Amino acid sequence: MNNAKSNAVPASSTREALMDAAESLIQQKGYNGFSYGDLSQLVGLRKPSIHHHFPKKELLGTSVIERYTDRFRAQLNDIDTTSGGLTTSLRKYVQLFTTTYGKTRKLCPCGMLGAESAGLPLIVCEAVEAFFVLNLTWLTALLERGRNERQFSFDADASSQALVILSALEGAMVVGRGIDGDDTVSNVG
């Protein structure tokens, strides 16, 4: 029996490291702006090892977006259970985007992929759509509740207003990068 400790990285850690690197590349360059060669350099694995975990790039892209959506959903649930009112909930929601953009000017990966959707595999587009549906559903419910409780006032229906808010936040990231601005997301929010 061999009692020597293995220096091998667990497969789950390798998979997470690959998704972390891919998420960062998507946020900076988009889906079509990186290759497994880029991942290989970032993570220190040979391309065949990457293909072992993600045989196709579309599987990697989908896994990254599903994980991002799950994490975002958890943050929305946290806002729902810990916020100090509807206005505070909306501010915390905006802060999620401000934090993503931050000083590194990384875009929301779903916003980046939404812009590329015409050139993406269907399975990746479906994962991106699920992220946006989650956000629009959550925002619509918050806005409807706010209007019913007379905390929010707006002319449009709640779903249209939710689309305006989400579009403004996602768009502020893109414009901010284009004008070399650090505060565009917080200024919109």
Side-chain angles (χ1 to χ4, degrees):
M1 181 172 178
N2 185 355
N3 291 328
K5 290 185 179 181
S6 171
N7 289 329
V9 177
S12 62
S13 296
T14 302
R15 186 174 171 82
E16 287 297 311
L18 288 167
M19 287 195 298
D20 290 344
E23 182 176 316
S24 182
L25 287 167
I26 289 168
Q27 289 177 296
Q28 292 293 340
K29 299 178 176 188
Y31 181 87
N32 293 311
F34 80 93
S35 68
Y36 275 19
D38 297 317
L39 280 177
S40 175
Q41 288 180 335
L42 280 174
V43 181
L45 289 175
R46 294 176 337 141
K47 287 192 275 186
S49 296
I50 296 170
H51 281 281
H52 170 75
H53 293 280
F54 297 101
K56 294 183 178 183
K57 188 176 178 184
E58 64 192 48
L59 298 176
L60 172 62
T62 302
S63 295
V64 167
I65 298 308
E66 288 174 346
R67 182 183 72 166
Y68 188 82
T69 301
D70 289 343
R71 289 176 175 174
F72 209 91
R73 180 181 296 108
Q75 291 176 307
L76 294 177
N77 290 338
D78 186 54
I79 290 172
D80 285 338
T81 59
T82 63
S83 83
L86 300 175
T87 302
T88 300
S89 293
L90 191 53
R91 281 191 191 114
K92 287 181 177 181
Y93 179 79
V94 170
Q95 186 61 43
L96 297 175
F97 290 85
T98 303
T99 300
T100 297
Y101 185 71
K103 297 294 181 194
T104 62
R105 297 187 183 138
K106 287 185 177 179
L107 301 186
C108 165
C110 295
M112 179 67 96
L113 296 182
E116 289 186 285
S117 63
L120 296 179
L122 179 61
I123 191 169
V124 177
C125 291
E126 290 171 346
V128 170
E129 181 181 1
F131 172 82
F132 287 129
V133 168
L134 168 71
N135 279 262
L136 291 170
T137 301
W138 187 87
L139 273 171
T140 298
L142 179 77
L143 293 169
E144 285 175 345
R145 193 168 146 219
R147 178 184 270 169
N148 291 340
E149 294 179 15
R150 301 194 190 286
Q151 292 184 37
F152 299 147
S153 177
F154 48 90
D155 293 329
D157 62 273
S159 62
S160 294
Q161 190 65 33
L163 182 59
V164 167
I165 292 169
L166 179 58
S167 299
L169 293 168
E170 292 283 358
M173 292 179 173
V174 174
V175 172
R177 190 184 278 179
I179 64 171
D180 200 27
D182 290 334
D183 299 325
T184 53
V185 180
S186 58
N187 289 341
V188 166

